[in-house]
Each structure stands twice: as C-alpha cells, then as structure tokens.
Amino acid sequence: PKKKLSRRAKRKAIPKHFEEREIILKVPPSQRIDGDGNPLVVVGHDTSERLGRIPGKFVRVVIKREKVGYPDSRQVLHTAEPLKAIVPKGKFMDEFIQEIVVQKYWMGLPLYRQIQSYNAEGANLSKSTLSETIQRFAQFYEPVAKAILKEVVKGKWIQGDETPIKCQGLTEDELKRTYFWAFRNLFGCYFHYGITR
C-alpha cells in the first residue's frame, strides 16, 4: 500500500539557549481608563515567542502583550494588539523570514541547505515549517506580484519561458508534472509556478 504523507507537522520549540530579546506591546492610552474615567493598570501579559535573527546569530524574541484591568479584581479589560507580522501567528520574526527568502531565491540556496546551516547553529528548524513560512510570505506579497504582472502584460511585447518540473504528489510514489513560467518585458519580470490541468 502507498504511504500517505503527513500534511501537518508539530511545530518545534524555539531553543532556550539563544540570547533573549523582549518586545513589550503596550495598550494605547485611550484603553487605560474605563467608561467612568477610572484608571486601569497592567494586570499581566499575553506572552509568545518567535525566532529572530540579527547579523551573525539567532535570538529568542519574547513578545509580551500588555493586559490592563482593575487592580483589585485583576479582571482583564483590554489586551495590546498583536505584533504586526508577515505571518501573524508564525514562529519567525519578519527579518529572519526575509533572510530565508533572499537566500532561497536570490542566492539560490535550497531550504534543506539553509536548514543544515541554521541547525548547525542550534536553531532546530524543520523543512515543513520553513516551507509553510515561504508559502505564507508569498500570500502576504501577492498584491505586489499582481501589480508586477499588470505592468509586464501592458507592454507591446512579452518574452516567456516554460520549464517542466517533476513534483512529488500526495504519496511517496506519485510524481506530478508542474511548470515554472517566466515572463518579462521592459517593465519587469513575473514568475509563476503551477500544475497544468
């Protein structure tokens, strides 16, 4: 019988030995008083962690979202807005995601080679997490890609190239034929990857 590939993998924890950086997201002043004008105080934090990267090393970024409420009851009335990010509930800081993308598409370094390099530094990354992050990055920048395509197709001429690629399907034995297309003119270049029907 054909072995079914797993679609989701459990996220690996961020290693604790990395230097810790802290970001505190504050509740705005307008939410620090109740409807009667009584002041509210910080009663706790909603805490999460992300893997960040500064030149030459990894850091563990601890993000604390303030919770404000009444000092006597500790009831939470407002929580600071989440960190604005390419992947809102993701594992990585935006700067690290951008580094991964530049390494893959600009420098031509495949994800498995990046994983080997980063894991040699103790990052404990998985290919599934990085692959999903690349997909989320593409979704985030899709409006930019559409704007580039709009500029490319408005020219008087377009150059194109089609490259077939064999891609693994849902089972280990299944291979699908996919394609990588490139289109360019004087305005710019647009790339597309997909399966023909």
Side-chain angles (χ1 to χ4, degrees), residues 135-183:
Q135 291 174 2
R136 298 289 298 276
F137 179 91
Q139 292 168 3
F140 183 84
Y141 281 100
E142 187 175 2
V144 176
K146 287 181 177 179
I148 292 172
L149 175 61
K150 187 176 179 180
E151 289 298 311
V152 169
V153 299
K154 74 164 54 168
K156 292 183 178 179
W157 56 266
I158 300 173
Q159 293 177 325
D161 181 68
E162 176 183 89
T163 303
I165 302 170
K166 289 183 179 178
C167 180
Q168 186 171 332
L170 296 178
T171 63
E172 290 181 342
D173 305 347
E174 183 183 4
L175 287 177
K176 292 185 175 181
R177 179 177 286 272
T178 60
Y179 291 88
F180 184 80
W181 293 280
F183 307 96

Side-chain angles (χ1 to χ4, degrees), residues 50 83-90 92-98 101 133-141:
R50 288 179 180 240
L83 182 73
K84 295 188 185 307
I86 294 172
V87 183
K89 294 182 179 179
F92 308 128
M93 295 296 289
D94 286 357
E95 296 81 2
F96 182 41
I97 295 174
Q98 291 162 351
V101 171
T133 300
I134 292 287
Q135 291 174 2
R136 298 289 298 276
F137 179 91
Q139 292 168 3
F140 183 84
Y141 281 100

Side-chain angles (χ1 to χ4, degrees), residues 80-132:
E81 290 293 318
L83 182 73
K84 295 188 185 307
I86 294 172
V87 183
K89 294 182 179 179
K91 179 178 179 177
F92 308 128
M93 295 296 289
D94 286 357
E95 296 81 2
F96 182 41
I97 295 174
Q98 291 162 351
E99 178 176 318
I100 294 167
V101 171
V102 168
Q103 291 287 327
K104 177 174 172 60
Y105 295 105
W106 184 257
M107 306 303 292
L109 194 63
L111 288 183
Y112 79 91
R113 297 263 311 272
Q114 292 190 54
I115 291 169
Q116 289 174 346
S117 176
Y118 293 139
N119 284 353
E121 298 180 48
N124 195 27
L125 302 178
S126 68
K127 186 175 180 181
S128 61
T129 303
L130 259 65
S131 297
E132 183 178 344

Side-chain angles (χ1 to χ4, degrees), residues 8-76:
R8 291 192 64 84
K10 186 177 179 182
R11 177 185 287 184
K12 294 184 177 183
I14 296 172
K16 299 294 184 186
H17 65 272
F18 289 139
E19 177 186 334
E20 183 178 308
R21 300 287 175 96
E22 188 175 85
I23 296 175
I24 297 179
L25 303 175
K26 295 185 176 291
V27 171
S30 61
Q31 295 182 347
R32 289 182 177 268
I33 55 173
D34 67 8
D36 298 324
N38 299 313
L40 304 175
V41 300
V42 176
V43 297
H45 292 89
D46 185 4
T47 305
S48 61
E49 292 184 356
R50 288 179 180 240
L51 184 64
R53 188 155 174 89
I54 59 176
K57 68 176 182 179
F58 284 104
V59 291
R60 182 168 57 93
V61 181
V62 178
I63 301 162
K64 294 184 175 180
R65 297 167 56 201
E66 282 186 344
K67 297 179 179 180
V68 296
Y70 297 115
D72 50 354
S73 68
R74 314 298 286 180
Q75 177 188 357
V76 176

